[in-house]
């Protein structure tokens, strides 16, 4: 079964991402654009000046259109400015999660062939320039320094950047001076890595048309956002969801993005909501679930509230007040929350639909920049993820797509061009080489086109702040530890737990009893965590007395052990 969206009738030449960005900068010149919560801020005019100076730097340093520029740092206005400067200069941006360990960052910088690196001083100090032969220079995002350069022209340009800017614009820098790279729809603008430290890296090659199509859809369907509206930006900018939907999309509407630069704890997030009063919140399930479990459920479970909720006439009034109070938690102006990355907890989802909260659950993936499906809150249904977005087609590979889950295949403007330097992975994603990409997810599709995800054939786990966690990478470390026979890493109520089946036979031969094995496994856990980034460290372990159940191919039946 196949569903089609309405194909855009716009002329091909109008499918320009940089044209949208250019117009937004000019139109909103005096409005606030980017702020770090408690830190620096940029108006659109100041952002335009920062972008122009970086363009001068790129040009003077002899960077060419299509050259790779990596960005590895904590969420900040400076990160966003560097990224937009890359897009609007025709550079290929290579976002890298700042949580990666130095060896992973080395690996991805070398694999991508990046010539420049924007980073934080703390990250650069942990790297070894000798292991980065292709990097011509490193620039600090916040500190505005050039700690490393192999490019004489880059060094000279950086030292007199303000002078070069003044020479180019001797009168004044005005909206009329904003003129950005004329992007070709199939030109690569982002290489986003879905894996870091082990195996062959999978760098998703996203063309300008993919990001343009995502932005165009958000402009057309989230029409309540207006110039000057505030956004709370808490998702990782290194991922497409935070980068495109939470940051770039509101920015081109003239909105004011506020970046949470610290670890986004519930207290910090709630404080930001109170200050910014956003109309739109884009988040992952865990953040919303924590807020509801801490702020709402305790009140609903008091004896008085339990009694009132049993009274049919009173129940509606009470739930209406609960809804109003919850909107107040988000700042009082909330019109919509979009949840992405993973399904909502069933209890939370049921409650939110019962109080008619303005929530919707979407579906996407890095390979589609990221949008695949969406439904506005008024037409959103429990356990579903909406309909395929415009300029995209979807097909369910199943004999009965309405009732029997099958692989979800997609085709259209949002789809990547493939994996960088990885033809094997590209061929696996496009098995018939006909433009249809296998998402790796399973689902069904209703007669009206509404899609439901039945399960992920991929094993990715979503981290607490939206990071992609690949359990196989962690399991490789665990399986190399003493007395480990096999292991499985699972998501366990927002945390990671390792299920470990020890090599009991080897342990007993060495005279170890069960208590001694438990102690060794605890030591193994500490050793593994020492090798992992903070966001994908294990919270605990459970010892499994029996081997994991296997498929005929001897693969572990993961679905049997998920929470």
């Amino acid at each position: 079964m196949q569903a089609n969206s309405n194909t855009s009738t716009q002329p091909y030449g109008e499918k320009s991402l940089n044209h949208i960005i250019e117009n937004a900068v000019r139109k909103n010149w005096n409005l606030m654009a980017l702020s770090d919560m408690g830190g620096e801020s940029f108006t659109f005019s100041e952002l335009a000046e920062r972008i122009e100076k970086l363009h001068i730097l790129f040009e003077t340093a002899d960077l060419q259109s299509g050259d790779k520029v990596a960005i590895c740092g904590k969420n900040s206005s400076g990160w966003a400015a560097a990224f937009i400067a890359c897009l609007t200069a025709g550079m290929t941006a290579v976002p890298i999660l700042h949580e990666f360990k130095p060896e992973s960052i080395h690996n991805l910088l070398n694999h991508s062939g990046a010539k420049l690196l924007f980073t934080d001083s703390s990250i650069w100090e942990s790297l070894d320039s000798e292991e980065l032969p292709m990097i011509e220079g490193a620039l600090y995002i916040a500190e505005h320094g050039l700690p490393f350069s192999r490019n004489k022209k880059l060094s000279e340009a950086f030292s007199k950047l303000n002078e070069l800017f003044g020479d180019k614009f001797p009168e004044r820098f005005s909206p009329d001076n904003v003129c950005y790279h004329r992007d070709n729809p199939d030109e690569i603008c982002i290489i986003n890595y879905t894996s870091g430290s082990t195996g062959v890296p999978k760098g998703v090659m996203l063309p300008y048309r993919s990001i343009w199509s995502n932005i165009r859809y958000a402009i057309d369907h989230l029409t309540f956002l207006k110039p000057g509206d505030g956004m709370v930006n808490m998702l990782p900018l290194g991922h497409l969801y935070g980068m495109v939907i939470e940051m770039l999309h509101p920015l081109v509407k003239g909105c004011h993005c506020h970046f949470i630069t610290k670890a986004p704890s519930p207290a910090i997030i709630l404080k930001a909501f109170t200050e910014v009063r956003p109309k739109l919140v884009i988040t992952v399930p865990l953040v919303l679930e924590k807020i509801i479990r801490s702020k709402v459920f305790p009140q609903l479970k008091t004896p008085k509230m339990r009694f009132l909720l049993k009274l049919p006439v009173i129940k509606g009034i009470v739930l209406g007040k609960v809804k109003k109070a919850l909107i107040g938690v988000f700042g009082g102006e909330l019109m919509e929350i979009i949840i992405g990355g993973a399904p909502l907890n069933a209890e939370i989802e049921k409650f939110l639909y019962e109080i008619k909260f303005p929530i919707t659950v979407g579906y996407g993936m890095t390979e589609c920049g990221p949008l695949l499906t969406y439904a506005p809150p008024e037409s959103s249904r429990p356990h579903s993820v909406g309909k395929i977005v415009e300029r995209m087609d979807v097909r369910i590979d199943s004999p009965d797509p309405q009732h029997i889950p099958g692989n979800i295949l997609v085709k259209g403007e949002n789809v990547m061009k493939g994996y960088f330097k990885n033809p094997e992975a590209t061929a696996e994603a496009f098995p018939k080489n006909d433009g249809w990409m296998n998402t790796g997810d399973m689902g069904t599709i209703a007669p009206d086109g509404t899609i439901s995800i039945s399960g992920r054939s991929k094993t990715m786990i979503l981290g607490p702040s939206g990071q992609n966690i690949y359990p196989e990478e962690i399991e490789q470390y665990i399986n190399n530890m003493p007395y480990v026979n096999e292991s499985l890493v699972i998501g366990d109520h927002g945390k990671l737990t390792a299920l470990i089946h020890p090599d009991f036979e080897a342990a007993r031969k060495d005279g170890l009893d069960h208590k001694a094995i438990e102690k060794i496994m605890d030591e193994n856990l500490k050793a593994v965590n020492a090798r992992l980034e903070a966001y994908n460290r294990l919270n605990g372990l459970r010892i499994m007395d029996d081997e994991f159940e296997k498929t005929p191919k001897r693969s572990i039946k993961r679905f049997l052990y998920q929470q």
Side-chain angles (χ1 to χ4, degrees):
M1 184 174 183
Q2 180 175 327
N4 290 47
S5 63
N6 293 326
T7 303
S8 173
T9 58
Q10 291 179 305
Y12 188 76
E14 292 187 16
K15 294 183 179 180
S16 169
L17 173 64
N18 283 339
H19 183 63
I20 291 175
I21 298 173
E22 185 179 293
N23 283 345
V25 171
R26 289 175 171 178
K27 184 178 178 181
N28 301 290
W29 194 252
N30 295 316
L31 294 181
M32 294 303 302
L34 308 171
S35 291
D36 297 338
M37 298 297 293
E40 69 173 344
S41 294
F42 297 91
T43 62
F44 276 90
S45 62
E46 291 166 339
L47 173 61
E49 182 175 327
R50 170 73 74 92
I51 289 170
E52 190 61 44
K53 287 180 178 179
L54 290 177
H55 287 183
I56 292 171
L57 195 68
F58 295 155
E59 184 179 355
T60 309
D62 288 336
L63 266 69
Q64 307 297 317
S65 177
D67 281 346
K68 317 298 187 301
V69 177
I71 311 170
C72 182
K74 294 180 180 179
N75 278 16
S76 68
S77 298
W79 196 110
F83 171 73
I84 297 169
C86 289
L87 291 182
T88 53
M91 303 293 115
T92 299
V94 184
I96 297 175
L97 285 178
H98 74 276
E99 294 104 329
F100 279 155
K101 285 186 172 292
E103 55 266 31
S104 299
I105 298 174
H106 288 152
N107 184 28
L108 298 184
L109 289 173
N110 290 329
H111 186 268
S112 70
K115 289 189 175 181
L116 288 185
L117 168 64
F118 287 91
T119 190
D120 298 335
S121 59
S122 58
I123 295 172
W124 178 250
E125 289 166 4
S126 70
L127 302 181
D128 184 351
S129 61
E130 295 299 314
E131 294 188 29
L132 301 170
M134 287 176 279
I135 289 289
E136 295 183 8
L139 299 98
Y140 288 148
I141 294 173
E143 297 87 344
H144 311 301
L146 180 73
F148 175 76
S149 176
R150 292 189 175 104
N151 183 324
K152 186 177 179 181
K153 291 182 177 180
L154 173 68
S155 301
E156 291 177 353
F158 186 84
S159 67
K160 56 179 182 178
L161 196 52
N162 288 332
E163 180 183 339
L164 293 172
F165 180 81
D167 290 342
K168 187 173 182 179
F169 305 103
E171 298 297 326
R172 67 186 184 93
F173 183 61
S174 72
D176 292 337
N177 298 125
V178 175
C179 184
Y180 294 149
H181 169 74
R182 291 305 184 235
D183 48 300
N184 180 296
D186 273 324
E187 186 181 355
I188 302 299
C189 65
I190 299 170
I191 296 177
N192 197 219
Y193 283 92
T194 64
S195 179
S197 57
T198 63
V200 179
K202 291 175 70 176
V204 176
M205 296 187 292
L206 291 167
Y208 278 94
R209 61 168 162 76
S210 173
I211 309 304
W212 169 83
S213 183
N214 274 269
I215 296 294
R216 185 73 257 167
Y217 185 86
I219 290 172
D220 293 342
H221 292 271
L222 299 171
T223 56
F224 54 85
L225 280 184
K226 305 298 180 185
D229 285 344
M231 282 289 296
V232 174
N233 298 76
M234 52 188 158
L235 296 176
L237 283 168
H239 282 313
L240 268 294
Y241 193 30
M243 178 199 309
V244 175
I245 307 303
E246 191 185 44
M247 183 272 286
L248 194 56
H249 140 243
L251 191 71
V252 300
K253 289 180 174 177
C255 296
H256 182 188
C257 294
H258 297 76
F259 296 96
I260 295 178
T261 57
K262 301 176 181 178
S265 67
I268 290 174
I269 292 171
L270 291 174
K271 184 174 184 293
F273 288 150
T274 300
E275 293 178 7
V276 177
R277 299 170 65 84
K279 292 179 181 176
L280 175 68
V281 170
I282 297 173
T283 187
V284 293
L286 192 60
V287 172
L288 182 60
E289 289 168 9
K290 282 184 175 180
I291 290 172
I292 291 174
R293 291 190 188 282
S294 63
K295 295 290 183 179
V296 179
F297 279 3
Q299 298 178 32
L300 294 179
K301 292 177 180 178
T302 62
K304 180 182 178 181
M305 192 64 75
R306 286 176 184 270
F307 172 75
L308 292 175
L309 290 174
K310 290 179 181 179
L311 303 175
V313 178
I314 302 297
K315 182 178 180 180
I317 298 172
V318 171
L319 292 180
K321 290 183 177 180
V322 170
K323 175 184 176 181
K324 185 177 180 180
L326 186 54
I327 287 177
V329 168
F330 288 93
E333 302 291 332
L334 183 69
M335 299 185 71
E336 184 170 335
I337 292 184
I338 303 177
I339 298 291
L344 264 174
N345 171 275
E347 181 188 17
I348 302 288
E349 184 180 52
K350 180 182 177 182
F351 164 72
L352 291 172
Y353 276 101
E354 187 175 18
I355 67 171
K356 295 180 173 58
F357 202 67
I359 187 168
T360 186
V361 178
Y363 166 54
M365 59 193 306
T366 300
E367 287 83 349
C368 290
L371 290 182
L372 278 172
T373 68
Y374 170 80
E378 60 270 19
S379 59
S380 181
R381 299 204 299 256
H383 317 305
S384 68
V385 292
K387 299 178 182 180
I388 194 73
V389 298
E390 290 165 7
R391 295 170 291 279
M392 289 289 290
D393 300 331
V394 63
R395 190 171 73 203
I396 306 295
D397 188 11
S398 166
D400 183 1
Q402 188 175 342
H403 303 102
I404 301 175
N407 279 318
I408 300 174
L409 308 176
V410 295
K411 185 178 185 179
E413 297 273 20
N414 294 21
V415 178
M416 68 171 180
K417 295 195 74 172
Y419 296 106
F420 188 58
K421 296 181 183 176
N422 196 334
E424 294 82 9
T426 300
E428 185 178 349
F430 299 91
K432 294 185 179 180
N433 197 28
D434 58 358
W436 285 98
M437 186 184 74
N438 187 347
T439 65
D441 297 324
M442 308 285 286
T444 56
I445 185 167
D448 69 351
T450 298
I451 295 169
S452 296
I453 307 295
S454 305
R456 293 186 178 269
S457 55
K458 295 179 180 179
T459 59
M460 187 269 287
I461 298 171
L462 194 74
S465 297
Q467 308 96 331
N468 293 346
I469 298 171
Y470 294 84
E472 293 93 340
E473 295 185 355
I474 305 173
E475 289 158 10
Q476 286 187 27
Y477 291 139
I478 299 171
N479 293 342
N480 288 325
M481 291 291 155
Y483 301 107
V484 173
N485 184 40
E486 56 185 354
S487 66
L488 191 69
V489 172
I490 64 171
D492 188 1
H493 302 292
K495 298 177 180 178
L496 295 178
T497 296
L499 310 182
I500 300 176
H501 176 58
D503 189 342
F504 288 112
E505 184 177 350
R508 284 163 187 154
K509 282 182 180 178
D510 292 340
L512 301 175
D513 58 17
H514 203 281
K515 189 172 183 179
I517 294 173
E518 288 179 350
K519 184 177 180 181
I520 290 172
M521 294 302 136
D522 286 337
E523 292 171 354
N524 289 342
L525 181 71
K526 294 177 183 177
V528 170
N529 278 340
R531 302 182 66 177
L532 298 172
E533 285 82 21
Y535 71 88
N536 65 352
R537 286 178 185 150
L538 297 162
N539 186 63
L541 65 85
R542 296 207 300 270
I543 292 179
M544 311 294 286
D545 292 331
D546 300 314
E547 282 193 22
F548 297 103
E549 288 195 38
K550 309 288 199 311
T551 67
K553 293 183 179 180
R554 301 298 296 167
S555 299
I556 297 173
K557 294 182 178 179
R558 288 180 174 270
F559 66 93
L560 294 177
Y561 301 94
Q562 300 299 325
Q563 295 296 310

